[in-house]
Amino acid sequence: MAVFKTNLSTVGPLQRFGNIYYLSGNAPHRGGEDQAYLLIDPVKRVVQIGLWEKGKLTVYAPPGGRLPEPPDIRKLLANSPGERAVSAPGAPWELLPVQGRSPAAYVEAAASPNITSLSLYCENGRPYMAMLLNKPTAGARLTMSWNFAERLVNLAVQRANKEGTYWIGAVAGTPLVQHLMTQQGTAFLRINGRLEGEASLANAPAVLRSSLRSCVRF
């Protein structure tokens, strides 16, 4: 309850959608990571709460099932991290085994509405980045950005499956690996300029040295 109250510190007006009264808000300057919504059905005498903590959503629904979300709340849900999101700052980098080739450097995105994970790997002597999304995205090309304490690295990525959930971009010629090796804390992520959570930088140097040694000179 204390977290819920904090995450409604900056709150919008009480509104109505059919029989449902609702409101939403966020902790000061923490929209997208620490926020909440409240649905009230006075006819059924039940409430439903959606609570984001560090970018992960938990829904507290009535015993009889979830209430229908008003359009404003559906829009909030679509633009915010979901129930399967990873809480910020996320887990350290790790080696991801790949059959028949060297392992990839892998990290889960944290507090992201759309990005599930990112990985770096070698292909034909060159480094590449793969991005896995949790929902289909239209188009053939995107710009995926890493923000390292105001040092921005933009990568052009291309659709790599028909569903639009897997995207690949070349890393050579960019300072991405250099920043991953030297920066600390977290890097903030963007797709086409839209904030997409963050990625931990913990353990990145050791993992990258192991996975990219055949295509990057350290």
Side-chain angles (χ1 to χ4, degrees), residues 11-16 21-24 38 40:
V11 66
L14 182 67
Q15 301 183 73
R16 183 177 179 179
Y21 291 87
Y22 67 97
L23 53 79
S24 63
L38 170 66
I40 304 170

PDB file of all heavy atoms in Angstrom, residues 11-16 21-24 38 40:
ATOM      1  N   VAL A  11      -1.028  12.319  -9.839  1.00  0.00           N
ATOM      2  CA  VAL A  11      -2.192  11.546 -10.270  1.00  0.00           C
ATOM      3  C   VAL A  11      -3.128  12.387 -11.128  1.00  0.00           C
ATOM      4  O   VAL A  11      -3.245  13.602 -10.933  1.00  0.00           O
ATOM      5  CB  VAL A  11      -2.941  10.966  -9.045  1.00  0.00           C
ATOM      6  CG1 VAL A  11      -3.547  12.090  -8.213  1.00  0.00           C
ATOM      7  CG2 VAL A  11      -3.994   9.948  -9.452  1.00  0.00           C
ATOM      8  N   GLY A  12      -3.767  11.725 -12.079  1.00  0.00           N
ATOM      9  CA  GLY A  12      -4.759  12.396 -12.904  1.00  0.00           C
ATOM     10  C   GLY A  12      -6.119  12.409 -12.225  1.00  0.00           C
ATOM     11  O   GLY A  12      -6.294  11.839 -11.139  1.00  0.00           O
ATOM     12  N   PRO A  13      -7.116  13.013 -12.850  1.00  0.00           N
ATOM     13  CA  PRO A  13      -8.452  13.109 -12.245  1.00  0.00           C
ATOM     14  C   PRO A  13      -9.185  11.771 -12.274  1.00  0.00           C
ATOM     15  O   PRO A  13      -8.904  10.909 -13.109  1.00  0.00           O
ATOM     16  CB  PRO A  13      -9.157  14.143 -13.128  1.00  0.00           C
ATOM     17  CG  PRO A  13      -8.485  14.004 -14.462  1.00  0.00           C
ATOM     18  CD  PRO A  13      -7.058  13.696 -14.165  1.00  0.00           C
ATOM     19  N   LEU A  14     -10.111  11.620 -11.361  1.00  0.00           N
ATOM     20  CA  LEU A  14     -10.982  10.441 -11.382  1.00  0.00           C
ATOM     21  C   LEU A  14     -11.897  10.526 -12.597  1.00  0.00           C
ATOM     22  O   LEU A  14     -12.540  11.544 -12.841  1.00  0.00           O
ATOM     23  CB  LEU A  14     -11.810  10.389 -10.093  1.00  0.00           C
ATOM     24  CG  LEU A  14     -12.735   9.176  -9.946  1.00  0.00           C
ATOM     25  CD1 LEU A  14     -11.919   7.898  -9.789  1.00  0.00           C
ATOM     26  CD2 LEU A  14     -13.661   9.355  -8.741  1.00  0.00           C
ATOM     27  N   GLN A  15     -11.959   9.434 -13.387  1.00  0.00           N
ATOM     28  CA  GLN A  15     -12.759   9.408 -14.602  1.00  0.00           C
ATOM     29  C   GLN A  15     -13.680   8.193 -14.588  1.00  0.00           C
ATOM     30  O   GLN A  15     -13.556   7.304 -13.744  1.00  0.00           O
ATOM     31  CB  GLN A  15     -11.848   9.369 -15.832  1.00  0.00           C
ATOM     32  CG  GLN A  15     -10.904  10.564 -15.925  1.00  0.00           C
ATOM     33  CD  GLN A  15     -10.072  10.537 -17.177  1.00  0.00           C
ATOM     34  OE1 GLN A  15     -10.561  10.788 -18.289  1.00  0.00           O
ATOM     35  NE2 GLN A  15      -8.790  10.229 -17.036  1.00  0.00           N
ATOM     36  N   ARG A  16     -14.594   8.163 -15.567  1.00  0.00           N
ATOM     37  CA  ARG A  16     -15.565   7.085 -15.618  1.00  0.00           C
ATOM     38  C   ARG A  16     -15.630   6.489 -17.014  1.00  0.00           C
ATOM     39  O   ARG A  16     -15.591   7.200 -18.017  1.00  0.00           O
ATOM     40  CB  ARG A  16     -16.955   7.586 -15.209  1.00  0.00           C
ATOM     41  CG  ARG A  16     -18.011   6.488 -15.180  1.00  0.00           C
ATOM     42  CD  ARG A  16     -19.342   7.018 -14.690  1.00  0.00           C
ATOM     43  NE  ARG A  16     -20.372   5.966 -14.690  1.00  0.00           N
ATOM     44  CZ  ARG A  16     -21.624   6.142 -14.285  1.00  0.00           C
ATOM     45  NH1 ARG A  16     -22.009   7.327 -13.823  1.00  0.00           N
ATOM     46  NH2 ARG A  16     -22.486   5.138 -14.330  1.00  0.00           N
ATOM     47  N   TYR A  21     -15.041   3.382 -12.533  1.00  0.00           N
ATOM     48  CA  TYR A  21     -14.335   4.616 -12.213  1.00  0.00           C
ATOM     49  C   TYR A  21     -12.842   4.289 -12.158  1.00  0.00           C
ATOM     50  O   TYR A  21     -12.446   3.215 -11.674  1.00  0.00           O
ATOM     51  CB  TYR A  21     -14.796   5.184 -10.878  1.00  0.00           C
ATOM     52  CG  TYR A  21     -16.208   5.711 -10.900  1.00  0.00           C
ATOM     53  CD1 TYR A  21     -17.292   4.871 -10.661  1.00  0.00           C
ATOM     54  CD2 TYR A  21     -16.463   7.054 -11.168  1.00  0.00           C
ATOM     55  CE1 TYR A  21     -18.594   5.341 -10.691  1.00  0.00           C
ATOM     56  CE2 TYR A  21     -17.765   7.542 -11.198  1.00  0.00           C
ATOM     57  CZ  TYR A  21     -18.824   6.674 -10.962  1.00  0.00           C
ATOM     58  OH  TYR A  21     -20.117   7.150 -11.000  1.00  0.00           O
ATOM     59  N   TYR A  22     -12.007   5.220 -12.630  1.00  0.00           N
ATOM     60  CA  TYR A  22     -10.580   4.890 -12.693  1.00  0.00           C
ATOM     61  C   TYR A  22      -9.713   6.140 -12.599  1.00  0.00           C
ATOM     62  O   TYR A  22     -10.155   7.265 -12.857  1.00  0.00           O
ATOM     63  CB  TYR A  22     -10.253   4.143 -13.992  1.00  0.00           C
ATOM     64  CG  TYR A  22     -10.403   4.967 -15.255  1.00  0.00           C
ATOM     65  CD1 TYR A  22      -9.294   5.577 -15.842  1.00  0.00           C
ATOM     66  CD2 TYR A  22     -11.644   5.131 -15.878  1.00  0.00           C
ATOM     67  CE1 TYR A  22      -9.422   6.319 -17.007  1.00  0.00           C
ATOM     68  CE2 TYR A  22     -11.778   5.863 -17.036  1.00  0.00           C
ATOM     69  CZ  TYR A  22     -10.671   6.458 -17.606  1.00  0.00           C
ATOM     70  OH  TYR A  22     -10.807   7.198 -18.745  1.00  0.00           O
ATOM     71  N   LEU A  23      -8.472   5.914 -12.222  1.00  0.00           N
ATOM     72  CA  LEU A  23      -7.455   6.965 -12.226  1.00  0.00           C
ATOM     73  C   LEU A  23      -6.095   6.304 -12.363  1.00  0.00           C
ATOM     74  O   LEU A  23      -5.932   5.095 -12.162  1.00  0.00           O
ATOM     75  CB  LEU A  23      -7.524   7.840 -10.978  1.00  0.00           C
ATOM     76  CG  LEU A  23      -7.498   7.184  -9.593  1.00  0.00           C
ATOM     77  CD1 LEU A  23      -6.096   6.786  -9.165  1.00  0.00           C
ATOM     78  CD2 LEU A  23      -8.093   8.143  -8.552  1.00  0.00           C
ATOM     79  N   SER A  24      -5.106   7.096 -12.725  1.00  0.00           N
ATOM     80  CA  SER A  24      -3.740   6.592 -12.870  1.00  0.00           C
ATOM     81  C   SER A  24      -2.766   7.711 -12.550  1.00  0.00           C
ATOM     82  O   SER A  24      -3.112   8.900 -12.587  1.00  0.00           O
ATOM     83  CB  SER A  24      -3.481   6.061 -14.279  1.00  0.00           C
ATOM     84  OG  SER A  24      -3.607   7.103 -15.242  1.00  0.00           O
ATOM     85  N   LEU A  38      -5.826   2.506 -10.832  1.00  0.00           N
ATOM     86  CA  LEU A  38      -6.863   1.985  -9.943  1.00  0.00           C
ATOM     87  C   LEU A  38      -8.186   1.948 -10.693  1.00  0.00           C
ATOM     88  O   LEU A  38      -8.583   2.943 -11.315  1.00  0.00           O
ATOM     89  CB  LEU A  38      -7.009   2.882  -8.708  1.00  0.00           C
ATOM     90  CG  LEU A  38      -8.205   2.610  -7.785  1.00  0.00           C
ATOM     91  CD1 LEU A  38      -8.072   1.250  -7.115  1.00  0.00           C
ATOM     92  CD2 LEU A  38      -8.344   3.722  -6.748  1.00  0.00           C
ATOM     93  N   ILE A  40     -12.334   0.947 -10.164  1.00  0.00           N
ATOM     94  CA  ILE A  40     -13.356   0.730  -9.131  1.00  0.00           C
ATOM     95  C   ILE A  40     -14.680   0.421  -9.810  1.00  0.00           C
ATOM     96  O   ILE A  40     -15.137   1.197 -10.662  1.00  0.00           O
ATOM     97  CB  ILE A  40     -13.519   1.978  -8.235  1.00  0.00           C
ATOM     98  CG1 ILE A  40     -12.181   2.379  -7.604  1.00  0.00           C
ATOM     99  CG2 ILE A  40     -14.574   1.730  -7.157  1.00  0.00           C
ATOM    100  CD1 ILE A  40     -12.227   3.727  -6.901  1.00  0.00           C
TER     101      ILE A  40
END
